[in-house]
Amino acid sequence: MKTTTQLLAELKSLARKAGVGLYRRVQICDIILRDDDWLKNAFDGKVVAAEKHLAMEYFPDLAVGGISLGTLVELYRHVPKKIWEEHQYKINKIWAEYEESGKEKSSKERVNWKERALIAEEQVEKLTRQVERQTKDLDRLNEELAKEKERGRKLEHEVATLTGRIMELKVA
């Protein structure tokens, strides 16, 4: 998976391309606009400000078209690529088909980053407890192993002693 920085670089290289290039640019923007950390750090979490920035920087062709990047992203999310291809990436035709389909406009899908952080924190705590239990088990097993090794050394010594006595008895 590409990072947001890598996606922005790709977006820059596609900035003047129409057709399939436009579709890919909108696809990249959809991914970038779902990056909560980037939105929070770059635009204080404001999606509209991020959309305006992306449109000005990477969609110079939108300035004359009268369509917003938010609308393009909405079309991307709800209109299959096959339809984009059928209409040769002509936005007015894609928009007309979208409107005819009667789909309701999407609400901005936002992820509650505080909730996500809380869940992640709980998972970290759970995993920490699990690691602590496993560490205790490992320590216990290592102690048992050390005892068994010592017992094995004692048995080897006893075997050597008995073997020596047997040899003495055979010689005598």
Side-chain angles (χ1 to χ4, degrees), residues 115-134:
E115 183 179 314
R116 186 185 286 176
L118 183 62
I119 291 169
E121 219 174 275
E122 290 171 355
Q123 289 174 337
V124 166
E125 289 174 10
K126 180 181 175 184
L127 289 172
T128 301
R129 287 191 301 272
Q130 186 178 1
V131 166
E132 288 171 354
R133 281 193 307 273
Q134 289 175 344

Side-chain angles (χ1 to χ4, degrees), residues 36-55:
D36 292 330
D37 292 332
W38 180 78
L39 280 174
K40 183 179 175 228
N41 292 331
F43 298 97
D44 294 325
K46 296 176 183 166
V47 177
V48 174
E51 285 176 354
K52 285 181 182 178
H53 168 76
L54 291 171

Side-chain angles (χ1 to χ4, degrees), residues 1-40:
M1 176 141 200
K2 292 184 177 181
T3 65
T4 299
T5 304
Q6 291 169 327
L7 290 170
L8 287 168
E10 182 179 350
L11 198 55
K12 187 76 166 176
S13 71
L14 295 170
R16 299 248 181 240
K17 295 188 178 176
V20 179
L22 173 66
Y23 184 85
R24 178 64 182 144
R25 286 189 291 160
V26 175
Q27 182 181 42
I28 291 170
C29 283
D30 179 51
I31 295 167
I32 291 170
L33 290 169
R34 291 176 190 259
D35 182 346
D36 292 330
D37 292 332
W38 180 78
L39 280 174
K40 183 179 175 228

